[in-house]
Amino acid sequence: MIDLHTHILPGLDDGAEVMAESLAMAELALEGGTNIIVATPHSNQSGRFENYCSDALTKAFDAFERALAENYLPLKVYRGMEIYASWDMAEKIADGRLSGIGDSDYYLIEFPFDIDADSMGSMLESVLSIGKIPVIAHPERYGCVQHYPGVLYEWMMMGCLSQINKGSVFGRFGRGAAKTAEILLAFNLVTCIASDAHSADMRTTYMGDIRDALEERLDPEYVRALLYEQPKAILENRKIAFLGSPPVRRRRIFR
C-alpha cells in the first residue's frame, strides 16, 4: 500500500515528537502492509507550523531517511506537505515555498473545518488556475461537505482529487465524518485513503485494518485503486480518470 498523508517527521508539527517515535510509526506502517509513505508535515500555518521549503526541512527529511536505513526498515519515503489553505497559497506554490506530493503537480491541501463551500471552491480554483492539482485532505471532515456531499463531486469535476482518512471510516472523527465517508466511497468520490497518522499510539500508520474492512464491503479492485494504484499515479505525476457520480441520498451506501 501507499500512504500519502502522514505526520511522521519528528519535531515539525503535532505529529511525531522524536526520531524514536518516527521509527515506531515506520515499523507499524510496514507491519500493516505499507511500503511507501509520504511525509506531509503541516505547513503554511502562520505562527504555528509554517514549514515552508527550506534547508531545515530538507535536513529533517534526510535525517529520517538515514535513520530508516540504519535501522534496516525498508520503507520508501517521499517528501510532501499538508498545506493549510490560504488566499495566497497559489502564489506561494508558484514561488516554490510550498511543495507537492513527491514533488509532483499534486498538492495536499487542508481547510478549516468550518469553511463555507464558496470560499473553499474559490481557493481550489486558485490552485487549478496555475496548473496544479489540489488533493483535498479529508473532505469528509468539513462541515460544508457533510451538509452537501455533492459539492465534492463539483470540485472533482473541476479537476481536484480527494483523500479521506482511514479513521473516518471507523467513526473516529464522529458520526458526520463516518457517514460522509460512506457516501463518498459509494459514489466513487474518493481518490485515495490515507492514515493521516500522528503517532505510534493513536492515529497510527497501520493500514492493514482499513484494507481488511474495505475488502469486506467493496470490490477488491476498487480497494486496490484507493490504497495503491491511484496513490502511485499521484507520485508518478500521472493523470487519474474521474469516474465519480453525484450523490443520491436514497441510494444504498454499501452492498
Side-chain angles (χ1 to χ4, degrees):
M1 288 181 285
I2 299 175
D3 189 353
L4 292 185
H5 184 174
T6 71
H7 299 271
I8 199 169
L9 294 183
L12 293 179
D13 57 13
D14 57 349
E17 295 183 2
V18 295
M19 186 64 75
E21 185 172 19
S22 298
L23 294 173
M25 292 171 71
E27 289 179 353
L28 279 172
L30 290 165
E31 289 173 12
T34 298
N35 57 1
I36 298 174
I37 212 165
V38 183
T40 54
H42 289 295
S43 67
N44 201 39
Q45 291 190 14
S46 180
R48 192 182 183 208
F49 304 128
E50 296 186 346
N51 287 323
Y52 296 112
C53 294
S54 65
D55 289 341
L57 199 59
T58 298
K59 287 178 181 178
F61 180 87
D62 291 345
F64 180 52
E65 276 198 319
R66 287 195 301 272
L68 288 172
E70 290 166 359
N71 286 271
Y72 305 101
L73 294 171
L75 184 68
K76 174 66 177 175
V77 186
Y78 287 85
R79 305 181 195 197
M81 293 178 170
E82 183 180 18
I83 299 165
Y84 194 74
S86 64
W87 290 106
D88 63 349
M89 65 179 164
E91 178 182 340
K92 290 175 179 174
I93 289 170
D95 289 344
R97 298 179 67 190
L98 299 171
S99 64
I101 299 171
D103 296 321
S104 70
D105 289 329
Y106 294 94
Y107 287 73
L108 183 67
I109 302 174
E110 175 186 32
F111 294 84
F113 292 116
D114 60 351
I115 192 171
D116 64 273
D118 287 342
S119 296
M120 191 167 168
S122 294
M123 289 182 177
L124 291 168
E125 285 179 339
S126 74
V127 176
L128 290 165
S129 72
I130 61 169
K132 305 302 181 182
I133 304 165
V135 178
I136 303 169
H138 42 65
E140 76 282 0
R141 299 184 64 192
Y142 304 128
C144 62
V145 179
Q146 292 180 8
H147 177 70
Y148 175 51
V151 74
L152 183 62
Y153 171 80
E154 297 172 11
W155 294 330
M156 294 184 77
M157 284 289 289
M158 288 164 43
C160 300
L161 304 183
S162 73
Q163 169 264 306
I164 69 171
N165 284 2
K166 70 162 187 174
S168 296
V169 178
F170 292 128
R172 294 169 187 160
F173 297 105
R175 179 173 173 78
K179 184 63 177 178
T180 304
E182 286 189 6
I183 293 170
L184 301 184
L185 284 167
F187 290 89
N188 208 353
L189 298 177
V190 180
T191 308
C192 58
I193 299 178
S195 68
D196 192 2
H198 279 64
S199 76
D201 301 313
M202 297 181 65
R203 294 180 67 175
T204 76
T205 49
Y206 186 85
M207 293 284 283
D209 49 1
I210 188 64
R211 178 195 58 215
D212 294 345
L214 292 178
E215 286 180 347
E216 291 179 358
R217 307 175 181 182
L218 302 172
D219 183 276
E221 291 186 7
Y222 184 24
V223 177
R224 180 172 172 80
L226 294 170
L227 297 176
Y228 178 73
E229 296 292 352
Q230 292 180 161
K232 185 172 185 285
I234 289 172
L235 286 173
E236 294 176 351
N237 209 32
R238 291 188 281 113
K239 185 175 178 60
I240 296 173
F242 176 52
L243 303 174
S245 55
V248 178
R249 292 185 181 275
R250 292 189 299 275
R251 180 171 170 179
R252 188 177 178 186
I253 299 304
F254 289 126
R255 63 188 183 197

